[in-house]
Amino acid sequence: MIPLQVGDIIRLRKPHPCGSTDWKVMRTGMDFRIQCLGCQHQAWIPRVKLERQIKEILQKVEKPPEI
């Protein structure tokens, strides 16, 4: 299981119809909501399918300090 958090920027193997391959993680869980960084389109994708499609993680969000 790939550790992804809300706000991470990922690159997928197949491009979106707008031409962009970079996406921002908007929601995590069994299904992920991701947002295209080219056209701002949002899509829901199952975790298993997303993990197979990830080419690389471009930017990780830092965890906020625990209180």
Short mmCIF file of all heavy atoms in Angstrom, two decimals:
data_model
loop_
_atom_site.label_atom_id
_atom_site.label_comp_id
_atom_site.label_asym_id
_atom_site.label_seq_id
_atom_site.Cartn_x
_atom_site.Cartn_y
_atom_site.Cartn_z
N MET A 1 0.84 -1.17 0.00
CA MET A 1 0.00 0.00 0.00
C MET A 1 0.90 1.25 0.00
O MET A 1 1.75 1.40 0.86
CB MET A 1 -0.91 -0.02 1.23
CG MET A 1 -2.06 0.91 1.12
SD MET A 1 -3.40 0.51 2.25
CE MET A 1 -2.81 1.24 3.74
N ILE A 2 0.68 2.12 -0.95
CA ILE A 2 1.48 3.35 -1.07
C ILE A 2 0.92 4.39 -0.11
O ILE A 2 -0.28 4.67 -0.14
CB ILE A 2 1.43 3.87 -2.52
CG1 ILE A 2 2.00 2.82 -3.48
CG2 ILE A 2 2.20 5.18 -2.65
CD1 ILE A 2 1.82 3.14 -4.94
N PRO A 3 1.77 4.98 0.74
CA PRO A 3 1.27 5.98 1.70
C PRO A 3 1.03 7.33 1.01
O PRO A 3 1.96 8.06 0.70
CB PRO A 3 2.39 6.08 2.73
CG PRO A 3 3.62 5.69 1.98
CD PRO A 3 3.17 4.69 0.93
N LEU A 4 -0.23 7.65 0.75
CA LEU A 4 -0.60 8.93 0.15
C LEU A 4 -1.43 9.73 1.14
O LEU A 4 -2.19 9.17 1.92
CB LEU A 4 -1.41 8.70 -1.13
CG LEU A 4 -0.66 8.11 -2.32
CD1 LEU A 4 -1.63 7.79 -3.44
CD2 LEU A 4 0.40 9.06 -2.81
N GLN A 5 -1.27 11.05 1.08
CA GLN A 5 -2.01 11.95 1.95
C GLN A 5 -2.70 13.01 1.09
O GLN A 5 -2.30 13.26 -0.05
CB GLN A 5 -1.07 12.66 2.92
CG GLN A 5 -0.33 11.75 3.84
CD GLN A 5 0.62 12.55 4.72
OE1 GLN A 5 0.33 13.67 5.09
NE2 GLN A 5 1.76 11.96 5.03
N VAL A 6 -3.70 13.65 1.68
CA VAL A 6 -4.38 14.75 0.99
C VAL A 6 -3.36 15.86 0.72
O VAL A 6 -2.59 16.24 1.59
CB VAL A 6 -5.55 15.29 1.85
CG1 VAL A 6 -6.16 16.53 1.22
CG2 VAL A 6 -6.59 14.21 2.04
N GLY A 7 -3.32 16.32 -0.51
CA GLY A 7 -2.39 17.38 -0.90
C GLY A 7 -1.18 16.89 -1.66
O GLY A 7 -0.47 17.70 -2.27
N ASP A 8 -0.91 15.58 -1.67
CA ASP A 8 0.22 15.04 -2.43
C ASP A 8 -0.02 15.25 -3.93
O ASP A 8 -1.15 15.18 -4.41
CB ASP A 8 0.40 13.54 -2.17
CG ASP A 8 0.95 13.25 -0.78
OD1 ASP A 8 1.34 14.19 -0.08
OD2 ASP A 8 0.99 12.06 -0.41
N ILE A 9 1.07 15.48 -4.66
CA ILE A 9 1.01 15.61 -6.12
C ILE A 9 1.62 14.34 -6.70
O ILE A 9 2.73 13.96 -6.35
CB ILE A 9 1.81 16.85 -6.60
CG1 ILE A 9 1.36 18.12 -5.87
CG2 ILE A 9 1.69 16.99 -8.12
CD1 ILE A 9 -0.05 18.55 -6.15
N ILE A 10 0.86 13.68 -7.59
CA ILE A 10 1.32 12.41 -8.18
C ILE A 10 1.30 12.51 -9.70
O ILE A 10 0.59 13.33 -10.27
CB ILE A 10 0.43 11.23 -7.72
CG1 ILE A 10 -1.03 11.47 -8.06
CG2 ILE A 10 0.62 10.97 -6.24
CD1 ILE A 10 -1.95 10.30 -7.74
N ARG A 11 2.12 11.68 -10.35
CA ARG A 11 2.13 11.58 -11.81
C ARG A 11 1.64 10.19 -12.17
O ARG A 11 2.15 9.19 -11.67
CB ARG A 11 3.54 11.81 -12.35
CG ARG A 11 3.62 11.68 -13.86
CD ARG A 11 4.88 12.28 -14.43
NE ARG A 11 4.79 13.73 -14.30
CZ ARG A 11 5.85 14.54 -14.27
NH1 ARG A 11 7.05 14.05 -14.34
NH2 ARG A 11 5.69 15.84 -14.17
N LEU A 12 0.65 10.12 -13.05
CA LEU A 12 0.09 8.85 -13.49
C LEU A 12 0.68 8.44 -14.83
O LEU A 12 1.24 9.25 -15.56
CB LEU A 12 -1.44 8.95 -13.59
CG LEU A 12 -2.18 9.31 -12.30
CD1 LEU A 12 -3.68 9.31 -12.54
CD2 LEU A 12 -1.83 8.36 -11.17
N ARG A 13 0.55 7.16 -15.15
CA ARG A 13 1.12 6.62 -16.39
C ARG A 13 0.40 7.13 -17.64
O ARG A 13 1.03 7.46 -18.63
CB ARG A 13 1.07 5.10 -16.36
CG ARG A 13 1.95 4.52 -15.27
CD ARG A 13 2.00 3.01 -15.33
NE ARG A 13 2.67 2.46 -14.16
CZ ARG A 13 3.97 2.49 -13.95
NH1 ARG A 13 4.76 3.02 -14.84
NH2 ARG A 13 4.49 1.98 -12.86
N LYS A 14 -0.92 7.17 -17.61
CA LYS A 14 -1.70 7.59 -18.78
C LYS A 14 -2.09 9.06 -18.63
O LYS A 14 -2.52 9.47 -17.56
CB LYS A 14 -2.96 6.74 -18.93
CG LYS A 14 -2.68 5.32 -19.29
CD LYS A 14 -3.98 4.58 -19.53
CE LYS A 14 -3.73 3.13 -19.91
NZ LYS A 14 -4.98 2.41 -20.13
N PRO A 15 -2.00 9.83 -19.70
CA PRO A 15 -2.40 11.24 -19.60
C PRO A 15 -3.92 11.41 -19.59
O PRO A 15 -4.65 10.60 -20.15
CB PRO A 15 -1.79 11.87 -20.86
CG PRO A 15 -1.67 10.74 -21.81
CD PRO A 15 -1.41 9.51 -20.99
N HIS A 16 -4.37 12.47 -18.95
CA HIS A 16 -5.77 12.88 -18.98
C HIS A 16 -6.05 13.42 -20.39
O HIS A 16 -5.13 13.84 -21.08
CB HIS A 16 -5.97 13.98 -17.91
CG HIS A 16 -7.38 14.35 -17.68
ND1 HIS A 16 -7.87 15.58 -18.00
CD2 HIS A 16 -8.42 13.65 -17.16
CE1 HIS A 16 -9.16 15.63 -17.68
NE2 HIS A 16 -9.51 14.47 -17.17
N PRO A 17 -7.29 13.42 -20.86
CA PRO A 17 -7.57 13.96 -22.21
C PRO A 17 -7.08 15.39 -22.43
O PRO A 17 -6.81 15.78 -23.57
CB PRO A 17 -9.10 13.89 -22.30
CG PRO A 17 -9.46 12.72 -21.45
CD PRO A 17 -8.48 12.77 -20.30
N CYS A 18 -6.89 16.18 -21.37
CA CYS A 18 -6.38 17.54 -21.53
C CYS A 18 -4.86 17.54 -21.78
O CYS A 18 -4.29 18.55 -22.14
CB CYS A 18 -6.70 18.40 -20.31
SG CYS A 18 -5.71 18.03 -18.85
N GLY A 19 -4.20 16.39 -21.57
CA GLY A 19 -2.77 16.26 -21.83
C GLY A 19 -1.91 16.20 -20.58
O GLY A 19 -0.73 15.87 -20.65
N SER A 20 -2.47 16.53 -19.42
CA SER A 20 -1.71 16.54 -18.18
C SER A 20 -1.63 15.13 -17.57
O SER A 20 -2.57 14.35 -17.67
CB SER A 20 -2.37 17.48 -17.17
OG SER A 20 -1.70 17.44 -15.93
N THR A 21 -0.51 14.82 -16.94
CA THR A 21 -0.37 13.54 -16.24
C THR A 21 -0.22 13.75 -14.73
O THR A 21 -0.06 12.79 -14.00
CB THR A 21 0.87 12.75 -16.75
OG1 THR A 21 2.01 13.58 -16.60
CG2 THR A 21 0.69 12.32 -18.19
N ASP A 22 -0.27 15.01 -14.29
CA ASP A 22 -0.08 15.33 -12.88
C ASP A 22 -1.42 15.57 -12.20
O ASP A 22 -2.29 16.27 -12.73
CB ASP A 22 0.81 16.56 -12.72
CG ASP A 22 2.20 16.34 -13.29
OD1 ASP A 22 2.57 15.16 -13.49
OD2 ASP A 22 2.91 17.32 -13.53
N TRP A 23 -1.58 14.98 -10.99
CA TRP A 23 -2.83 15.05 -10.25
C TRP A 23 -2.54 15.38 -8.80
O TRP A 23 -1.49 15.05 -8.28
CB TRP A 23 -3.56 13.71 -10.32
CG TRP A 23 -3.99 13.32 -11.69
CD1 TRP A 23 -3.21 12.80 -12.68
CD2 TRP A 23 -5.31 13.39 -12.22
NE1 TRP A 23 -3.97 12.55 -13.79
CE2 TRP A 23 -5.26 12.89 -13.54
CE3 TRP A 23 -6.54 13.81 -11.70
CZ2 TRP A 23 -6.39 12.83 -14.34
CZ3 TRP A 23 -7.66 13.74 -12.50
CH2 TRP A 23 -7.58 13.25 -13.81
N LYS A 24 -3.52 16.01 -8.13
CA LYS A 24 -3.44 16.31 -6.71
C LYS A 24 -4.44 15.43 -5.98
O LYS A 24 -5.59 15.29 -6.41
CB LYS A 24 -3.78 17.78 -6.46
CG LYS A 24 -3.70 18.19 -5.02
CD LYS A 24 -3.99 19.69 -4.87
CE LYS A 24 -3.86 20.10 -3.43
NZ LYS A 24 -4.14 21.55 -3.28
N VAL A 25 -4.01 14.81 -4.87
CA VAL A 25 -4.89 13.96 -4.07
C VAL A 25 -5.79 14.87 -3.22
O VAL A 25 -5.30 15.68 -2.44
CB VAL A 25 -4.07 13.01 -3.16
CG1 VAL A 25 -5.00 12.19 -2.27
CG2 VAL A 25 -3.19 12.10 -4.00
N MET A 26 -7.12 14.72 -3.40
CA MET A 26 -8.08 15.55 -2.68
C MET A 26 -8.72 14.81 -1.51
O MET A 26 -9.15 15.42 -0.54
CB MET A 26 -9.19 16.04 -3.63
CG MET A 26 -8.67 16.79 -4.84
SD MET A 26 -7.79 18.29 -4.42
CE MET A 26 -9.13 19.30 -3.87
N ARG A 27 -8.82 13.47 -1.61
CA ARG A 27 -9.44 12.66 -0.56
C ARG A 27 -8.83 11.27 -0.62
O ARG A 27 -8.54 10.77 -1.70
CB ARG A 27 -10.94 12.58 -0.78
CG ARG A 27 -11.67 11.82 0.31
CD ARG A 27 -13.18 11.83 0.05
NE ARG A 27 -13.91 11.21 1.13
CZ ARG A 27 -14.05 9.90 1.28
NH1 ARG A 27 -13.49 9.07 0.43
NH2 ARG A 27 -14.74 9.41 2.29
N THR A 28 -8.62 10.65 0.54
CA THR A 28 -8.06 9.31 0.60
C THR A 28 -9.05 8.35 1.24
O THR A 28 -10.04 8.76 1.82
CB THR A 28 -6.75 9.30 1.41
OG1 THR A 28 -7.03 9.69 2.75
CG2 THR A 28 -5.71 10.20 0.81
N GLY A 29 -8.76 7.07 1.12
CA GLY A 29 -9.61 6.03 1.69
C GLY A 29 -9.62 4.84 0.74
O GLY A 29 -8.66 4.59 0.02
N MET A 30 -10.74 4.11 0.72
CA MET A 30 -10.87 3.00 -0.23
C MET A 30 -10.93 3.53 -1.66
O MET A 30 -10.44 2.92 -2.59
CB MET A 30 -12.13 2.18 0.07
CG MET A 30 -11.98 1.27 1.26
SD MET A 30 -10.66 0.06 1.05
CE MET A 30 -11.32 -0.94 -0.25
N ASP A 31 -11.56 4.69 -1.83
CA ASP A 31 -11.59 5.39 -3.11
C ASP A 31 -10.87 6.72 -2.91
O ASP A 31 -10.94 7.33 -1.85
CB ASP A 31 -13.03 5.67 -3.56
CG ASP A 31 -13.78 4.40 -3.88
OD1 ASP A 31 -13.17 3.49 -4.47
OD2 ASP A 31 -14.97 4.32 -3.55
N PHE A 32 -10.19 7.16 -3.95
CA PHE A 32 -9.48 8.44 -3.90
C PHE A 32 -10.20 9.43 -4.80
O PHE A 32 -10.72 9.06 -5.85
CB PHE A 32 -8.05 8.28 -4.43
CG PHE A 32 -7.08 7.76 -3.41
CD1 PHE A 32 -7.15 6.45 -2.96
CD2 PHE A 32 -6.11 8.59 -2.90
CE1 PHE A 32 -6.26 5.98 -2.03
CE2 PHE A 32 -5.20 8.11 -1.96
CZ PHE A 32 -5.28 6.81 -1.52
N ARG A 33 -10.22 10.70 -4.38
CA ARG A 33 -10.66 11.77 -5.27
C ARG A 33 -9.39 12.51 -5.66
O ARG A 33 -8.63 12.94 -4.81
CB ARG A 33 -11.64 12.71 -4.59
CG ARG A 33 -12.23 13.73 -5.59
CD ARG A 33 -13.34 14.54 -4.98
NE ARG A 33 -12.73 15.49 -4.07
CZ ARG A 33 -13.36 16.07 -3.07
NH1 ARG A 33 -14.61 15.76 -2.81
NH2 ARG A 33 -12.76 16.94 -2.29
N ILE A 34 -9.16 12.60 -6.96
CA ILE A 34 -7.97 13.27 -7.46
C ILE A 34 -8.38 14.40 -8.39
O ILE A 34 -9.45 14.34 -9.02
CB ILE A 34 -7.01 12.28 -8.16
CG1 ILE A 34 -7.71 11.52 -9.28
CG2 ILE A 34 -6.40 11.32 -7.16
CD1 ILE A 34 -6.80 10.58 -10.07
N GLN A 35 -7.54 15.44 -8.46
CA GLN A 35 -7.84 16.60 -9.28
C GLN A 35 -6.72 16.80 -10.29
O GLN A 35 -5.55 16.87 -9.93
CB GLN A 35 -7.97 17.84 -8.41
CG GLN A 35 -8.31 19.09 -9.18
CD GLN A 35 -8.48 20.29 -8.26
OE1 GLN A 35 -7.92 20.33 -7.18
NE2 GLN A 35 -9.26 21.25 -8.69
N CYS A 36 -7.11 16.90 -11.57
CA CYS A 36 -6.14 17.13 -12.64
C CYS A 36 -5.55 18.52 -12.48
O CYS A 36 -6.29 19.50 -12.28
CB CYS A 36 -6.84 16.99 -14.00
SG CYS A 36 -5.76 17.35 -15.40
N LEU A 37 -4.23 18.63 -12.57
CA LEU A 37 -3.59 19.93 -12.44
C LEU A 37 -3.59 20.71 -13.75
O LEU A 37 -3.22 21.88 -13.78
CB LEU A 37 -2.16 19.77 -11.91
CG LEU A 37 -2.07 19.21 -10.49
CD1 LEU A 37 -0.62 19.10 -10.06
CD2 LEU A 37 -2.85 20.06 -9.50
N GLY A 38 -4.04 20.07 -14.84
CA GLY A 38 -4.11 20.76 -16.12
C GLY A 38 -5.43 21.50 -16.30
O GLY A 38 -5.46 22.68 -16.63
N CYS A 39 -6.55 20.81 -16.03
CA CYS A 39 -7.87 21.40 -16.30
C CYS A 39 -8.76 21.47 -15.05
O CYS A 39 -9.91 21.89 -15.16
CB CYS A 39 -8.58 20.61 -17.39
SG CYS A 39 -9.01 18.92 -16.91
N GLN A 40 -8.26 21.04 -13.90
CA GLN A 40 -8.98 21.08 -12.62
C GLN A 40 -10.15 20.10 -12.54
O GLN A 40 -10.96 20.18 -11.62
CB GLN A 40 -9.48 22.51 -12.30
CG GLN A 40 -8.43 23.58 -12.37
CD GLN A 40 -7.18 23.26 -11.55
OE1 GLN A 40 -7.28 22.87 -10.40
NE2 GLN A 40 -6.02 23.42 -12.15
N HIS A 41 -10.25 19.16 -13.48
CA HIS A 41 -11.30 18.14 -13.42
C HIS A 41 -11.02 17.21 -12.24
O HIS A 41 -9.88 16.86 -11.97
CB HIS A 41 -11.31 17.32 -14.72
CG HIS A 41 -12.28 16.18 -14.71
ND1 HIS A 41 -13.62 16.37 -14.92
CD2 HIS A 41 -12.11 14.86 -14.49
CE1 HIS A 41 -14.23 15.19 -14.84
NE2 HIS A 41 -13.33 14.26 -14.58
N GLN A 42 -12.09 16.81 -11.53
CA GLN A 42 -11.95 15.88 -10.41
C GLN A 42 -12.54 14.54 -10.77
O GLN A 42 -13.56 14.47 -11.47
CB GLN A 42 -12.63 16.44 -9.16
CG GLN A 42 -11.93 17.67 -8.63
CD GLN A 42 -12.48 18.11 -7.30
OE1 GLN A 42 -13.31 17.45 -6.69
NE2 GLN A 42 -12.01 19.26 -6.83
N ALA A 43 -11.90 13.47 -10.29
CA ALA A 43 -12.36 12.11 -10.58
C ALA A 43 -12.20 11.24 -9.35
O ALA A 43 -11.31 11.47 -8.52
CB ALA A 43 -11.54 11.52 -11.73
N TRP A 44 -13.10 10.27 -9.21
CA TRP A 44 -13.01 9.25 -8.15
C TRP A 44 -12.37 8.02 -8.76
O TRP A 44 -12.72 7.62 -9.88
CB TRP A 44 -14.40 8.89 -7.63
CG TRP A 44 -15.00 9.97 -6.79
CD1 TRP A 44 -15.76 11.02 -7.24
CD2 TRP A 44 -14.90 10.12 -5.38
NE1 TRP A 44 -16.13 11.80 -6.18
CE2 TRP A 44 -15.62 11.28 -5.03
CE3 TRP A 44 -14.25 9.39 -4.39
CZ2 TRP A 44 -15.72 11.72 -3.72
CZ3 TRP A 44 -14.37 9.84 -3.08
CH2 TRP A 44 -15.10 10.98 -2.75
N ILE A 45 -11.43 7.40 -8.03
CA ILE A 45 -10.75 6.21 -8.53
C ILE A 45 -10.48 5.28 -7.35
O ILE A 45 -10.07 5.73 -6.28
CB ILE A 45 -9.44 6.61 -9.29
CG1 ILE A 45 -8.77 5.40 -9.92
CG2 ILE A 45 -8.49 7.34 -8.39
CD1 ILE A 45 -7.64 5.76 -10.87
N PRO A 46 -10.73 3.97 -7.53
CA PRO A 46 -10.45 3.03 -6.43
C PRO A 46 -8.95 2.98 -6.12
O PRO A 46 -8.11 3.16 -6.99
CB PRO A 46 -10.91 1.68 -6.99
CG PRO A 46 -11.80 2.00 -8.13
CD PRO A 46 -11.35 3.33 -8.67
N ARG A 47 -8.63 2.74 -4.84
CA ARG A 47 -7.23 2.71 -4.38
C ARG A 47 -6.39 1.73 -5.20
O ARG A 47 -5.28 2.05 -5.62
CB ARG A 47 -7.16 2.33 -2.90
CG ARG A 47 -5.74 2.15 -2.39
CD ARG A 47 -5.69 1.69 -0.96
NE ARG A 47 -5.98 2.76 -0.02
CZ ARG A 47 -5.07 3.63 0.41
NH1 ARG A 47 -3.84 3.55 0.01
NH2 ARG A 47 -5.40 4.56 1.27
N VAL A 48 -6.91 0.53 -5.44
CA VAL A 48 -6.14 -0.50 -6.15
C VAL A 48 -5.77 -0.02 -7.55
O VAL A 48 -4.63 -0.16 -7.99
CB VAL A 48 -6.97 -1.81 -6.22
CG1 VAL A 48 -6.27 -2.84 -7.07
CG2 VAL A 48 -7.22 -2.34 -4.83
N LYS A 49 -6.72 0.58 -8.26
CA LYS A 49 -6.47 1.06 -9.62
C LYS A 49 -5.49 2.22 -9.61
O LYS A 49 -4.58 2.30 -10.45
CB LYS A 49 -7.78 1.48 -10.28
CG LYS A 49 -7.65 1.83 -11.72
CD LYS A 49 -9.00 2.07 -12.36
CE LYS A 49 -8.85 2.39 -13.83
NZ LYS A 49 -10.13 2.66 -14.46
N LEU A 50 -5.63 3.14 -8.64
CA LEU A 50 -4.73 4.29 -8.55
C LEU A 50 -3.30 3.84 -8.28
O LEU A 50 -2.36 4.33 -8.91
CB LEU A 50 -5.19 5.25 -7.45
CG LEU A 50 -4.31 6.48 -7.25
CD1 LEU A 50 -4.39 7.41 -8.46
CD2 LEU A 50 -4.70 7.22 -5.99
N GLU A 51 -3.13 2.89 -7.36
CA GLU A 51 -1.77 2.44 -7.02
C GLU A 51 -1.08 1.80 -8.22
O GLU A 51 0.13 1.91 -8.35
CB GLU A 51 -1.82 1.49 -5.83
CG GLU A 51 -2.12 2.20 -4.52
CD GLU A 51 -2.12 1.29 -3.32
OE1 GLU A 51 -2.07 0.05 -3.49
OE2 GLU A 51 -2.19 1.81 -2.19
N ARG A 52 -1.83 1.15 -9.10
CA ARG A 52 -1.24 0.57 -10.30
C ARG A 52 -0.86 1.64 -11.32
O ARG A 52 0.07 1.45 -12.10
CB ARG A 52 -2.20 -0.43 -10.95
CG ARG A 52 -2.12 -1.81 -10.33
CD ARG A 52 -2.93 -2.79 -11.12
NE ARG A 52 -4.24 -2.85 -10.47
CZ ARG A 52 -5.41 -2.93 -11.08
NH1 ARG A 52 -5.46 -2.99 -12.38
NH2 ARG A 52 -6.53 -2.96 -10.42
N GLN A 53 -1.61 2.74 -11.33
CA GLN A 53 -1.40 3.80 -12.33
C GLN A 53 -0.32 4.81 -11.96
O GLN A 53 0.13 5.57 -12.81
CB GLN A 53 -2.73 4.54 -12.58
CG GLN A 53 -3.76 3.71 -13.29
CD GLN A 53 -3.32 3.34 -14.70
OE1 GLN A 53 -2.73 4.16 -15.41
NE2 GLN A 53 -3.59 2.12 -15.11
N ILE A 54 0.09 4.84 -10.68
CA ILE A 54 1.07 5.85 -10.24
C ILE A 54 2.44 5.57 -10.86
O ILE A 54 2.97 4.47 -10.76
CB ILE A 54 1.18 5.89 -8.71
CG1 ILE A 54 -0.10 6.47 -8.12
CG2 ILE A 54 2.38 6.73 -8.27
CD1 ILE A 54 -0.12 6.50 -6.61
N LYS A 55 3.00 6.60 -11.50
CA LYS A 55 4.34 6.51 -12.06
C LYS A 55 5.35 7.01 -11.03
O LYS A 55 6.39 6.40 -10.83
CB LYS A 55 4.42 7.35 -13.32
CG LYS A 55 5.68 7.21 -14.11
CD LYS A 55 5.56 7.96 -15.42
CE LYS A 55 6.74 7.69 -16.31
NZ LYS A 55 6.60 8.38 -17.60
N GLU A 56 5.04 8.15 -10.37
CA GLU A 56 5.90 8.68 -9.32
C GLU A 56 5.13 9.67 -8.46
O GLU A 56 4.12 10.21 -8.88
CB GLU A 56 7.15 9.35 -9.90
CG GLU A 56 6.88 10.56 -10.76
CD GLU A 56 8.15 11.17 -11.32
OE1 GLU A 56 9.06 11.49 -10.51
OE2 GLU A 56 8.22 11.32 -12.54
N ILE A 57 5.64 9.89 -7.26
CA ILE A 57 5.08 10.90 -6.36
C ILE A 57 5.98 12.12 -6.49
O ILE A 57 7.17 12.07 -6.17
CB ILE A 57 5.04 10.38 -4.91
CG1 ILE A 57 4.14 9.16 -4.80
CG2 ILE A 57 4.56 11.49 -3.97
CD1 ILE A 57 4.16 8.47 -3.46
N LEU A 58 5.42 13.21 -7.00
CA LEU A 58 6.20 14.41 -7.27
C LEU A 58 6.44 15.25 -6.03
O LEU A 58 7.52 15.83 -5.85
CB LEU A 58 5.51 15.27 -8.34
CG LEU A 58 5.29 14.59 -9.69
CD1 LEU A 58 4.50 15.50 -10.61
CD2 LEU A 58 6.62 14.23 -10.32
N GLN A 59 5.41 15.34 -5.17
CA GLN A 59 5.53 16.20 -3.99
C GLN A 59 4.72 15.61 -2.85
O GLN A 59 3.54 15.31 -3.02
CB GLN A 59 5.00 17.60 -4.33
CG GLN A 59 5.08 18.59 -3.22
CD GLN A 59 4.53 19.95 -3.64
OE1 GLN A 59 4.15 20.15 -4.78
NE2 GLN A 59 4.50 20.86 -2.72
N LYS A 60 5.36 15.42 -1.71
CA LYS A 60 4.69 14.93 -0.51
C LYS A 60 4.35 16.12 0.38
O LYS A 60 5.13 17.05 0.49
CB LYS A 60 5.59 13.97 0.27
CG LYS A 60 5.89 12.66 -0.41
CD LYS A 60 4.74 11.72 -0.43
CE LYS A 60 4.48 11.15 0.95
NZ LYS A 60 3.33 10.27 1.00
N VAL A 61 3.20 16.05 1.02
CA VAL A 61 2.80 17.08 1.97
C VAL A 61 3.41 16.71 3.32
O VAL A 61 3.37 15.55 3.73
CB VAL A 61 1.26 17.14 2.07
CG1 VAL A 61 0.83 18.07 3.18
CG2 VAL A 61 0.68 17.57 0.75
N GLU A 62 3.96 17.69 4.00
CA GLU A 62 4.53 17.44 5.33
C GLU A 62 3.40 17.22 6.31
O GLU A 62 2.37 17.89 6.26
CB GLU A 62 5.38 18.64 5.77
CG GLU A 62 6.63 18.81 4.98
CD GLU A 62 7.48 19.95 5.51
OE1 GLU A 62 7.38 20.24 6.72
OE2 GLU A 62 8.21 20.53 4.72
N LYS A 63 3.60 16.29 7.23
CA LYS A 63 2.61 16.05 8.27
C LYS A 63 2.62 17.21 9.26
O LYS A 63 3.68 17.67 9.66
CB LYS A 63 2.93 14.76 9.04
CG LYS A 63 2.42 13.51 8.41
CD LYS A 63 2.60 12.37 9.38
CE LYS A 63 1.79 11.18 8.95
NZ LYS A 63 1.93 10.08 9.88
N PRO A 64 1.43 17.68 9.64
CA PRO A 64 1.42 18.72 10.68
C PRO A 64 1.88 18.14 12.01
O PRO A 64 1.68 16.95 12.27
CB PRO A 64 -0.05 19.15 10.74
CG PRO A 64 -0.82 18.03 10.13
CD PRO A 64 0.12 17.33 9.18
N PRO A 65 2.51 18.94 12.87
CA PRO A 65 2.98 18.40 14.16
C PRO A 65 1.82 17.95 15.02
O PRO A 65 0.76 18.58 15.05
CB PRO A 65 3.72 19.59 14.78
CG PRO A 65 3.21 20.79 14.07
CD PRO A 65 2.80 20.34 12.70
N GLU A 66 2.01 16.84 15.71
CA GLU A 66 0.99 16.30 16.60
C GLU A 66 0.88 17.16 17.84
O GLU A 66 1.88 17.58 18.41
CB GLU A 66 1.34 14.85 17.00
CG GLU A 66 1.38 13.88 15.84
CD GLU A 66 0.02 13.61 15.25
OE1 GLU A 66 -0.97 13.64 16.00
OE2 GLU A 66 -0.04 13.37 14.04
N ILE A 67 -0.34 17.39 18.30
CA ILE A 67 -0.55 18.21 19.50
C ILE A 67 -0.78 17.32 20.70
O ILE A 67 -1.40 16.33 20.65
CB ILE A 67 -1.75 19.17 19.31
CG1 ILE A 67 -1.44 20.12 18.18
CG2 ILE A 67 -2.04 19.93 20.58
CD1 ILE A 67 -2.58 21.05 17.80
#
